[in-house]
Structures are given as C-alpha cells and as structure tokens.
C-alpha cells in the first residue's frame, strides 16, 4: 500500500461547503481494504461545512458498503436530504439503472420547510435540487424532474475531451460527442 500524502495538503483548506462522492470507490472485489483506507483519509482531511454525501457505484461490493458505513458520509439510497435553514435539497439514487422515473419523481415530492414543494412553486424559495447518481444516463430524467445540478461518476475518464471535443470512452450509453 502506498501513502496518500497529497491528502495532507487538503486538510488545511477552508471554505468548502459540501463534498459529494459518486461511487466506484474500488475497481474490483478484493480491493475493499484499500478503498476504505483511501475514503477514510479523505474524510479525515476534508471537513465541509454542510457535510459529506455519497452514493455507491456498480463496482462497490456489499462488503465495501458495509465497511464504509462507519465514515462520516451521509449515504443517500433513493432518498433526499433537505438542509435546515437553506433552500438546498440533495438526493441520491441507488442502483439508478433499476429505478423507474415515477420512483425518482416521488423523491422530489417531499415537503420543504413544512410545505409541499409543488404548492410553493411561485414563492421563490424552492430548494436548489442537487442529484447524486452514479451513472450519467439518468440526466434526461433528472432534467424532467427539475434537478438543477446532477453529479455522476461511472465515466472512468470519459469527461476528458480531446480535439475536436470528443471523448475516447465514457462507459455509458450516452453519445461520446
């Protein structure tokens, strides 16, 4: 095992409000101990004001999920978190390729500041809706649901573009360009 010395540089950083994790903390079964070690060091070094939130990816084994439960990460599994006093809602989808859009929509029907979010449409204080979803293929559904910003993983470097603005791989069924 190698040391992750660069994480020490992050520990002195201030002003971070929110950190999100979008899955694939390991590459294959058998890497769980290393994955937990790295995630533990990240969590120890990073202290965001509003907390750490995450979802799991398709490479994350049941054993890894159990081992990561002790970290100060709020794991969102088909649920939403509304921040007290802030117009901010963060939702995490578990195993998103199996979730049907009606199930996803129900996550956003939850009350915000004591009111149904659908009834407060004209009030101007609806929450900013963030979505954590491991696979980016849910972006059309997220847009239909009024998600303002979606964070996803799964692309294994597919977010890197080369001229003329093409990804070499993106690990999804979304177009490369």
């Amino acid at each position: 095992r190698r040391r992750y010395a660069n994480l020490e540089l992050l520990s002195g950083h201030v002003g971070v409000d929110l950190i999100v994790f979008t899955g694939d903390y390991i590459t294959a079964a058998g890497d769980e101990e290393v994955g937990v070690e790295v995630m533990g060091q990240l969590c120890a070094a990073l202290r965001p004001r509003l907390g750490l939130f995450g979802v799991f990816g398709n490479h994350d084994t049941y054993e890894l999920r159990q081992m990561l439960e002790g970290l100060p990460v709020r794991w969102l599994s088909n649920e939403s978190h509304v921040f007290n006093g802030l117009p901010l809602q963060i939702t995490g989808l578990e195993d998103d390729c199996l979730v049907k859009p009606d199930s996803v929509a129900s996550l956003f029907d939850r009350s915000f500041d004591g009111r149904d979010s659908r009834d407060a449409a004209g009030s101007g204080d609806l929450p900013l809706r963030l979505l954590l979803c491991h696979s980016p293929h849910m972006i059309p559904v997220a847009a239909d649901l009024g998600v303002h910003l979606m964070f996803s993983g799964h692309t294994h470097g597919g977010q890197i573009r080369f001229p003329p603005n093409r990804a070499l791989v993106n690990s999804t069924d979304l177009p490369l360009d």
Side-chain angles (χ1 to χ4, degrees):
R1 295 183 192 178
R2 63 183 184 155
R3 279 271 203 207
Y4 296 93
N6 292 341
L7 294 178
E8 293 176 12
L9 297 174
L10 298 173
S11 61
H13 184 71
V14 294
V16 175
D17 291 321
L18 181 70
I19 293 177
V20 299
F21 298 105
T22 57
D24 284 352
Y25 309 110
I26 62 173
T27 301
D31 294 340
E32 289 86 0
E33 286 185 28
V34 173
V36 170
E37 179 182 338
V38 171
M39 287 296 292
Q41 289 180 22
L42 278 170
C43 291
L46 304 171
R47 305 234 181 245
R49 187 172 60 89
L50 298 175
L52 302 139
F53 293 82
V55 294
F56 293 105
N58 60 307
H59 289 269
D60 300 324
T61 63
Y62 177 77
E63 180 182 11
L64 177 73
R65 293 169 187 232
Q66 297 296 91
M67 294 169 76
L68 292 176
E69 286 297 320
L71 295 180
V73 176
R74 170 81 187 267
W75 300 106
L76 297 171
S77 177
N78 298 328
E79 61 184 305
S80 294
H81 177 81
V82 176
F83 294 85
N84 289 331
L86 290 176
L88 178 61
Q89 177 184 16
I90 186 168
T91 298
L93 297 184
E94 175 72 29
D95 202 7
D96 50 59
C97 62
L98 299 177
V99 176
K100 299 193 183 309
D102 286 346
S103 299
V104 176
S106 69
L107 294 173
F108 294 103
D109 287 339
R110 298 189 183 200
S111 170
F112 180 72
D113 282 349
R115 294 175 301 191
D116 188 312
S117 61
R118 293 167 296 183
D119 294 336
S123 68
D125 62 353
L126 288 174
L128 174 67
R129 292 179 168 170
L130 306 180
L131 177 64
L132 304 183
C133 184
H134 176 65
S135 181
H137 80 271
M138 290 293 283
I139 198 162
V141 174
D144 288 346
L145 294 171
V147 170
H148 298 103
L149 182 61
M150 180 174 142
F151 295 95
S152 62
H154 192 67
T155 62
H156 299 265
Q159 67 274 23
I160 298 171
R161 302 288 179 160
F162 295 99
N165 199 25
R166 268 206 53 100
L168 299 178
V169 65
N170 68 9
S171 299
T172 74
D173 56 357
L174 296 174
L176 290 173
D177 52 357

